[in-house]
């Protein structure tokens, strides 16, 4: 499905928190992934990932290939001229085509591409001040604060790191601030994408996660707003371990058996955007 990002009207997603709180987890996760990739044997580079059409090399190539878009978005936003690339982006097709463009690269070349593009992304993030993190730039959702552009970069790479290491029989690294940033972002992303598909579920929805502990209330009306507060019993609350919930909302695992039906409908926006229902 071609994205329908929002460039005018209310900002499609806002998430309560310190403007620069994604900087440290973003940098840590990117450096860790590059260090891990540098240890892979050729057999591990060629091994299948959790992404059905991609090998480990393909997943790394995807991350490296998408990094310049985050940097371009931040630079253009800071210059007061946000990019307008996402209306031509299909999450179900475009990433596959981007990976195909670098299919001829060796594993060593893909690793070099990851390291160099990570360095540019990290430099872009580390150069931001409080005002910069709040500046509007383009994301797959439309114009949002650069903090959410970088949140998308963190969440996407965090999930893909697990897409690689779990099939390889490795134990994924779990760091609380990476999990929390990814969980709160993907929860909002489900409804941000749903607006473009006309599938939004309006109302108030809660998350009560453990290990690490995190709770929030997401309000969906003309936009999506996530506030860090403990949800009450009067709204549908998604409960469970934070890593499991993040994986479920990222469509890697089923939602918990006791997930409220309202949360199952919420997830339909992300599944539709990625055309998962037809796969």
């Amino acid at each position: 499905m071609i994205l329908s990002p929002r460039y005018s009207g209310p900002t499609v997603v806002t998430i309560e928190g310190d403007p620069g709180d994604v900087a440290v987890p973003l940098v840590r996760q990117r450096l860790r992934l590059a260090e891990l990739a540098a240890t892979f044997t050729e057999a591990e580079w060629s091994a299948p990932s959790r992404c059905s059409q991609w090998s480990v090399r393909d997943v790394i190539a995807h991350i490296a290939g998408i990094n310049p878009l985050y940097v371009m978005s931040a630079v253009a936003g800071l210059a007061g001229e946000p990019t307008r690339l996402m209306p031509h982006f299909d999450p179900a097709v475009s990433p596959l085509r981007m990976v195909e463009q670098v299919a001829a690269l060796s594993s060593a070349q893909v690793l070099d591409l990851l390291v160099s593009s990570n360095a540019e992304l990290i430099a872009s993030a580390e150069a931001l001040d409080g005002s910069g993190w709040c500046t509007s730039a383009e994301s797959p959702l439309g114009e949002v604060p650069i903090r959410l552009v970088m949140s998308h970069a963190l969440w996407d790479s965090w999930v893909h790191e697990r897409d690689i290491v779990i099939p390889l029989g490795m134990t994924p690294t779990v760091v609380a601030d990476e999990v929390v940033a990814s969980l709160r972002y993907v929860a909002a992303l489900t409804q941000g994408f749903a607006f473009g598909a006309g599938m939004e579920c309006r109302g108030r929805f809660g998350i009560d996660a453990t290990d690490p502990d995190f709770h929030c209330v997401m309000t969906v009306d003309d936009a999506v707003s996530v506030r860090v507060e403990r949800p009450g019993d009067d709204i549908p609350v998604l409960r469970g371990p934070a890593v499991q919930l993040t994986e479920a909302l990222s469509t890697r695992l089923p939602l918990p058996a006791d997930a409220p039906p309202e949360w199952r409908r919420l997830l339909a926006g992300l599944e539709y955007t990625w055309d998962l229902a037809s796969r």
Side-chain angles (χ1 to χ4, degrees):
M1 186 193 87
I2 299 296
L3 295 181
S4 299
R6 180 185 292 182
Y7 296 114
S8 61
T11 301
V12 63
V13 168
T14 58
I15 299 177
E16 182 182 43
D18 181 85
D21 61 0
V22 74
V24 170
L26 171 69
V27 171
R28 182 197 308 115
Q29 192 279 329
R30 289 310 181 106
L31 292 176
R32 181 178 67 242
L33 180 61
E35 291 172 359
L36 176 65
T39 71
F40 289 157
T41 64
E42 199 57 43
E44 288 171 330
W45 277 103
S46 300
S49 73
R50 290 196 301 182
C51 304
S52 61
Q53 302 183 58
W54 282 351
S55 65
V56 168
R57 182 188 294 107
D58 293 333
V59 175
I60 296 292
H62 160 70
I63 295 170
I66 208 78
N67 277 346
L69 294 182
Y70 301 127
V71 176
M72 186 188 309
S73 173
V75 169
L78 292 170
E81 299 178 352
T83 54
R84 292 289 185 273
L85 302 176
M86 289 299 127
H88 308 290
F89 193 87
D90 184 338
V93 176
S94 299
L96 297 175
R97 291 177 177 168
M98 293 174 69
V99 169
E100 289 170 358
Q101 292 173 2
V102 296
L105 296 182
S106 68
S107 300
Q109 289 172 318
V110 171
L111 177 60
D112 288 343
L113 188 62
L114 176 68
V115 171
S116 61
S117 64
N118 270 354
E120 293 177 359
L121 177 64
I122 289 170
S124 177
E126 291 182 335
L128 294 168
D129 57 15
S131 175
W133 284 105
C134 296
T135 299
S136 292
E138 186 184 31
S139 80
L141 295 169
E143 277 194 23
V144 296
I146 290 177
R147 175 182 178 233
L148 296 191
V149 176
M150 297 301 180
S151 294
H152 190 104
L154 170 59
W155 161 73
D156 186 63
S157 188
W158 184 88
V159 172
H160 281 316
E161 179 183 359
R162 297 176 67 84
D163 289 338
I164 291 169
V165 302
I166 290 173
L168 289 176
M170 301 176 180
T171 301
T173 298
V174 176
V175 185
D177 58 359
E178 296 174 17
V179 178
V180 168
S182 298
L183 174 55
R184 71 189 181 193
Y185 179 74
V186 72
L189 184 69
T190 61
Q191 283 310 281
F193 278 151
F195 276 112
M199 300 174 64
E200 67 273 13
C201 298
R202 297 176 184 249
R204 298 174 74 242
F205 310 87
I207 292 177
D208 190 3
T210 57
D211 220 7
D213 292 343
F214 173 71
H215 46 262
C216 70
V217 172
M218 181 171 71
T219 302
V220 183
D221 42 44
D222 292 333
V224 182
S225 173
V226 177
R227 294 184 57 84
V228 180
E229 60 182 81
R230 192 169 297 281
D233 295 333
D234 58 330
I235 62 175
V237 180
L238 187 64
R239 305 181 191 274
V243 170
Q244 179 184 345
L245 296 184
T246 308
E247 290 258 71
L249 292 176
S250 303
T251 69
R252 295 317 196 263
L253 293 175
L255 285 170
D258 61 353
E262 294 89 345
W263 271 98
R264 298 186 185 280
R265 289 196 293 271
L266 282 174
L267 192 56
L270 198 57
E271 293 175 336
Y272 179 79
T273 300
W274 287 341
D275 292 341
L276 294 180
S278 61
R279 295 185 187 180

